[in-house]
Amino acid sequence: MKTGNDIVIIGGGLMGLSISIELQLRGANVTLLSRNFQEAAAHAAAGMLAPQAEGIQDPEFLKLALGSRALYQDWANKLEAIAGLDPGYWPCGILAPVYQRPESTVGSESPETPAYWCDRNTLDQRQPDLGPEVVGAWWFPQDAQVDNRRGLARTLKVAAQKLGVNLREGVEVQRLETQSLEAQTLKPQNSQGQPFEPENSAIHPAMIIKVHTNQGTVTGAHYILATGAWSAQILPTIPVYPVKGQMLSVRVPPSPEPLPLKQVLFGSEAYIVPRRDGLIVIGATVEPHSFDPGLTPAGLQSLLSKAIRLYPALQDFPIQDFWWGFRPTTPDQFPILGGSPFKNLTLAVGHHRNGILLAPMTAQLIADWVLEQKADPLLRQFSWHRFSMG
Ligand code: GLY
C-alpha cells in the first residue's frame, strides 16, 4: 500500500479534517473534498468525551475509546498551537445521575477508569439543584468535553488550512471510478509461497482510479473515505446508516453567579453539557434511519422534559439555539477503520455516538495505516471484513 504523497480525503467532517492534519504533519500532500462543512456530524454532537458515562462494555472498543480520551489534552494543545484558536477542551468530569439506585454501587479506583458512586447527600455537595427524582450519580472524573461546534470544528479547519491541506469546499462526490486488478497477483504470500491474509488486509480485486465530483474528476495515489452518515451513498457495500439527533442550547442568565453547572450531566434520558461561558447544550434525540432535515415539536418536547426532570432550573434559562445532525452508525455500532474492498481506499466511517471522542485516535491509526502500512491490532477488530462475511 505505497501511496506516494497524494492522498485524497472524501469528507470534510471532524474525521476527514483530523486525518488530513495528521497526514499533512507527517509529510503527505493531502486534498480534502467537502460537500459542506456545516452538515458534518461534528456539529450535531455535544462534545462529550465519555467512554465511561456512555457505558462502553466491549473490551476492544473501550480500549479504542479510552486510548483516544487519553490523547485529547495533547491533541487539543497541538491543534491550538497550529491554528492559534482554542478548541475548547475541558477536563471537567462527567456526573451520571440516576433515578433508580443501581444494584451495586462499588466504584473503581483504577487510574484509567476511576468511577465513584455519590448518594444523594454527597451529590448535593458536588452538584446542587438536581431534580427531586434523582437518587444518586456516578462520578467519572476522567471523562471530559470539548466545545465541538464553536471550538474544535473551527480549530481543525484553520489548522488544516495553515498546514497546507488543499481544502475544497462545495465538492460533492458522485461516484468512485474503479478498475479491476488481477486478484491473483495481489494475493500476499507467506515465506513458503502460500497465500495468506495479513491482519486487516483485503484481497483486492480492484482499485480506485478517480473520483467523479460535481466539479470534475479528482485523482490521487490513495483515497480515504470519511463521509459519515452518507458513506453508503458513495460505497453501498459499507453498511453505514444515519441516526438523527436533535439538540438545543440555553444560556445561563447573568444572575446565577458563579455558573450553576460545573460538569457534564449525563442522564439516562438526556444529557446537559455546560460550557465555560454559560452556554448549556442539551441533547439528543436518537432517530435511526432518518435523513429528515429539521426539528420536530415531539423531538424538542421530549428533550426539554427529560432535561428539566434532571435539572429543573433549566426551565427558566433563555433558549439560544436549536439544530440537528446525523450520527454515522453501523449495524454493531462500532466504527469501520482501515482497509476496504479497494486496494487504495481506506475507511474511517461509522463512529456513531463517539466521533468527537475517537477523532485523535482515528487520525493516528489511519495515518499509521496509510503512510506506514502499520496495522494496529485494533484495526483488525474494526475492519470492514466483519460485514463482508456473508
Ligand atoms: N455522543 C452523544 C450523542 O451522540 O448523542
Side-chain angles (χ1 to χ4, degrees):
M1 200 174 49
K2 292 280 175 213
T3 63
N5 265 340
D6 289 324
I7 299 170
V8 177
I9 299 179
I10 306 167
L14 195 81
M15 256 353 119
L17 285 167
S18 304
I19 295 167
S20 78
I21 288 167
E22 189 62 28
L23 290 171
Q24 196 84 14
L25 280 170
R26 296 193 198 183
N29 181 24
V30 182
T31 294
L32 185 146
L33 309 179
S34 171
R35 182 166 63 185
N36 174 1
F37 282 113
Q38 295 313 314
E39 72 187 0
H43 298 279
M48 290 181 299
L49 310 174
Q52 291 183 260
E54 285 275 358
I56 294 172
Q57 299 296 329
D58 179 85
E60 299 301 314
F61 190 54
L62 187 60
K63 207 184 288 176
L64 188 75
L66 292 175
S68 207
R69 190 184 66 182
L71 293 176
Y72 237 92
Q73 176 81 73
D74 287 349
W75 189 60
N77 291 346
K78 179 170 81 176
L79 294 174
E80 182 164 359
I82 298 168
L85 294 170
D86 178 5
Y89 172 71
W90 184 14
C92 58
I94 296 187
L95 257 186
V98 295
Y99 297 116
Q100 280 187 334
R101 196 180 159 81
E103 273 174 25
S104 165
T105 54
V106 177
S108 160
E109 297 279 345
S110 142
E112 202 187 19
T113 52
Y116 305 101
W117 170 254
C118 309
D119 59 22
R120 183 69 207 226
N121 287 340
T122 320
L123 184 56
D124 284 340
Q125 311 295 314
R126 179 173 288 285
Q127 180 56 68
D129 301 327
L130 290 172
E133 294 167 90
V134 170
V135 297
W138 287 103
W139 167 235
F140 302 115
Q142 300 279 349
D143 276 353
Q145 65 156 298
V146 65
D147 192 343
N148 51 304
R149 287 176 93 202
R150 297 178 305 170
L152 184 63
R154 209 157 59 96
T155 304
L156 283 169
K157 194 171 167 194
V158 171
Q161 277 162 338
K162 288 202 169 168
L163 289 171
V165 174
N166 178 18
L167 292 182
R168 294 186 54 190
E169 189 161 13
V171 179
E172 180 159 14
V173 170
Q174 291 156 340
R175 72 184 173 91
L176 306 176
E177 186 172 334
T178 63
Q179 187 175 63
S180 0
L181 296 166
E182 276 294 326
Q184 208 51 37
T185 62
L186 285 167
K187 269 187 188 153
Q189 299 190 331
N190 66 14
S191 52
Q192 282 84 46
Q194 291 155 342
F196 84 115
E197 181 116 348
E199 277 186 0
N200 200 51
S201 149
I203 305 300
H204 306 98
M207 65 186 291
I208 311 292
I209 52 167
K210 59 177 78 144
V211 175
H212 291 261
T213 80
N214 62 340
Q215 296 190 21
T217 58
V218 180
T219 56
H222 196 89
Y223 300 84
I224 298 173
L225 195 69
T227 36
W230 294 267
S231 299
Q233 292 174 5
I234 296 173
L235 198 62
T237 48
I238 298 300
V240 178
Y241 61 91
V243 175
K244 180 178 169 183
Q246 303 184 43
M247 309 190 71
L248 71 136
S249 59
V250 297
R251 183 167 279 286
V252 179
S255 47
E257 275 291 346
L259 291 175
L261 292 174
K262 300 255 178 295
Q263 59 262 309
V264 174
L265 300 179
F266 190 104
S268 51
E269 306 172 324
Y271 48 79
I272 298 173
V273 183
R275 305 293 194 219
R276 279 179 286 204
D277 66 351
L279 192 78
I280 297 178
V281 177
I282 299 169
T285 62
V286 177
E287 302 167 58
H289 300 285
S290 170
F291 259 136
D292 296 338
L295 302 153
T296 61
L300 292 181
Q301 185 200 37
S302 131
L303 268 186
L304 282 168
S305 63
K306 289 166 180 170
I308 291 168
R309 183 182 182 207
L310 188 57
Y311 186 63
L314 280 179
Q315 64 198 317
D316 297 319
F317 293 178
I319 287 178
Q320 188 81 12
D321 200 2
F322 300 102
W323 66 98
W324 71 95
F326 304 103
R327 303 174 185 88
T329 302
T330 64
D332 59 13
Q333 302 190 344
F334 299 139
I336 303 176
L337 303 174
S340 79
F342 300 97
K343 181 175 167 12
N344 59 344
L345 177 70
T346 291
L347 304 173
V349 297
H351 292 77
H352 185 45
R353 292 178 66 92
N354 295 292
I356 311 275
L357 167 65
L358 295 173
M361 185 61 120
T362 300
Q364 197 169 293
L365 293 175
I366 296 296
D368 288 349
W369 169 250
V370 171
L371 295 179
E372 297 169 34
Q373 298 80 54
K374 213 164 94 189
D376 187 285
L378 282 172
L379 286 187
R380 181 178 195 163
Q381 183 74 17
F382 301 110
S383 158
W384 71 280
H385 277 122
R386 67 189 193 274
F387 299 118
S388 68
M389 300 302 186

